[in-house]
Amino acid sequence: MSAERLETAKALLARLIAFKSVSASSNLPVIDFIEDYLAAHGVAARRGPNAAGDKAAILATIGPRVDGGVVLSGHTDVVPVEGQLWSGDPFELRQKAGRLYGRGACDMKGFDACVLAMAPAFKAAALKRPVHIVLSYDEETTCLGSQDVIAWFGRDEPRPGAVIVGEPTMMQVADAHKGVATFRTRVTGHEAHSALPALGANAVAAAADVVSEIGRLAREYEKGPVDPRFHPPYSTLHVGMIEGGTARNILARECSFHWEFRGLPGVKTASALAKVQAFVDQVALKRLTRYVAGPTIVTEIEVDVPPLAAAPGSAAETLALRLTRSNARIAVSFATEAGHFQAAGLPAVVCGPGSIDQAHKPDEFVDEAQIAACLTFLEALAGELSR
């Protein structure tokens, strides 16, 4: 791994961090930059826009258009910085004591920068199988921004043999991760004076009942099933936001809350939702409607990201272990787009620079040594695909 390539990757990381591509905003400026950069190196790219046209994923294939290539998958969006206490501008790369600071440095523009820095080398190599660069949008919110591109493979694009998702794993090979499903439950009650509760239905009280039950179920999941490869080793339930009511002395007409389920591979989202819904049907709704008819409790699934299940001996695992010169595998509790690739029949692993412990925090950083390790990994991939 040359010092020049490392400096190129750092310069690209600085450019990528400068784009304020938080999930709530358009990512087209950063996609424009990536597209122009690739074009300058003779690499054509194809866009996969969202329905509104204000965001896009990008696919660039380097090498022969044959099956059996390798996907390098990243995302261009980052989480917000509002309310976080940064020691400098989050959107300006800062270097200190071997660390590279900035929003997205770790999650996951560091990997994106490494892949782009390697594009000229991939282009110059005598690849016998292609490299497919996939950079998506909305990974941090819905994890759906890669879906259209994934659907292209094997249809009007060559079918890859392996997928490497570059989320931060300290360049260790993660062959499994949990899934994540997010929900919004809306409770509609009936307003009345708080002195006369029999004239109404308190949406806040009903929501509190359901939230309490989710907490009880979370404790039940701690008992099993258990997989010691994960931390924590069980599936988790969590309520993150709740809002409702208009005044202290009014029975609330509306209350809603957002919750999530992070399931081990093999533990279905539907099973968790069914447990919560059973409590709603058998307990919470009956309490809510004991005095008046019409109140409702409705839950909708916002996002359902599949887990990545371990697939010992898969093409992706075998390749990544060879490139890292390791026989060790890890499992991670965060979800990635690897689950979507696997669900589409494409073998996938997660392996990228930096630690997830630094993601989503103020003063997010990636170690320069991790960028160097990622570049070495990608250089080995170029050699592998040239054989």
Side-chain angles (χ1 to χ4, degrees):
M1 193 277 303
S2 70
E4 181 180 359
R5 184 162 293 146
L6 177 59
E7 291 304 312
T8 297
K10 289 164 60 178
L12 283 165
L13 179 56
R15 292 295 304 274
L16 295 176
I17 286 174
F19 291 100
K20 299 179 181 181
S21 54
V22 296
S23 302
S25 303
S26 171
N27 77 329
L28 294 185
V30 68
I31 289 295
D32 290 341
F33 166 75
I34 292 169
E35 201 170 53
D36 290 345
Y37 169 84
L38 291 171
H41 292 286
V43 178
R46 178 182 177 185
R47 291 192 182 196
N50 67 349
D54 62 345
K55 297 181 182 180
I58 195 169
L59 166 65
T61 297
I62 304 174
R65 293 183 59 80
V66 298
D67 292 346
V70 174
V71 173
L72 299 174
S73 175
H75 60 80
T76 60
D77 60 316
V78 296
V79 296
V81 299
E82 283 75 20
Q84 296 187 337
L85 298 177
W86 286 70
S87 60
D89 185 346
F91 298 103
E92 181 177 343
L93 181 69
R94 292 178 291 118
Q95 303 182 48
K96 183 179 180 181
R99 292 176 173 176
L100 307 172
Y101 292 87
R103 174 54 86 220
C106 169
D107 184 15
M108 58 179 300
K109 290 180 176 180
F111 177 77
D112 298 347
C114 289
V115 171
L116 294 176
M118 279 295 298
F122 288 137
K123 182 72 175 176
L127 299 182
K128 294 184 171 56
R129 289 176 289 150
V131 170
H132 305 285
I133 299 171
V134 175
L135 300 176
S136 68
Y137 62 91
D138 281 358
E139 190 277 344
E140 296 288 5
T141 53
T142 67
C143 220
L144 296 177
S146 61
Q147 289 290 77
D148 288 343
V149 175
I150 291 173
W152 295 342
F153 290 123
R155 190 181 68 193
D156 46 0
E157 298 287 347
R159 186 171 182 82
V163 179
I164 297 168
V165 177
E167 295 278 7
T169 64
M170 294 295 287
M171 294 307 299
Q172 299 177 82
V173 178
D175 66 346
H177 67 61
K178 293 181 179 180
V180 59
T182 65
F183 309 86
R184 182 174 183 179
T185 297
R186 292 183 174 89
V187 182
T188 303
H190 186 80
E191 291 171 320
H193 196 292
S194 61
L196 302 168
L199 296 182
N202 191 336
V204 167
D209 285 342
V210 182
V211 169
S212 179
E213 174 65 7
I214 289 173
R216 188 194 69 80
L217 289 171
R219 294 187 292 275
E220 288 297 312
Y221 274 110
E222 292 179 16
K223 300 175 184 177
V226 171
D227 185 337
R229 297 188 67 211
F230 291 89
H231 180 72
Y234 44 81
S235 301
T236 59
L237 275 165
H238 159 77
V239 178
M241 295 173 59
I242 187 167
E243 57 184 354
T246 54
R248 173 192 55 78
N249 56 355
I250 300 175
L251 269 66
R253 182 179 184 276
E254 295 181 346
C255 187
S256 66
F257 58 92
H258 295 263
W259 54 288
E260 69 171 26
F261 175 68
R262 294 182 180 268
L264 294 170
V267 181
K268 302 295 186 182
T269 296
S271 67
L273 180 57
K275 292 176 188 292
V276 175
Q277 190 62 47
F279 177 83
V280 168
D281 294 339
Q282 297 167 18
V283 180
L285 191 57
K286 291 179 179 179
R287 288 178 182 169
L288 185 64
T289 58
R290 59 184 166 168
Y291 297 127
V292 296
T296 59
I297 303 175
V298 177
T299 296
E300 61 181 18
I301 299 178
E302 297 175 315
V303 176
D304 192 1
V305 181
L308 175 67
S314 75
E317 179 196 80
T318 301
L319 173 64
L321 291 175
R322 187 158 60 244
L323 295 178
T324 56
R325 299 182 180 182
S326 170
N327 60 5
R329 308 158 185 82
I330 64 171
V332 295
S333 292
F334 57 88
T336 80
E337 292 170 327
H340 285 307
F341 282 102
Q342 186 180 67
L346 301 175
V349 294
V350 184
C351 183
S355 169
I356 196 65
D357 292 349
Q358 306 307 323
H360 299 194
K361 291 182 176 181
D363 287 343
E364 175 184 349
F365 72 84
V366 63
D367 286 320
E368 185 174 310
Q370 282 288 297
I371 298 296
C374 185
L375 291 170
T376 298
F377 175 94
L378 295 174
E379 288 173 352
L381 174 63
E384 183 80 20
L385 295 177
S386 298
R387 294 191 180 91

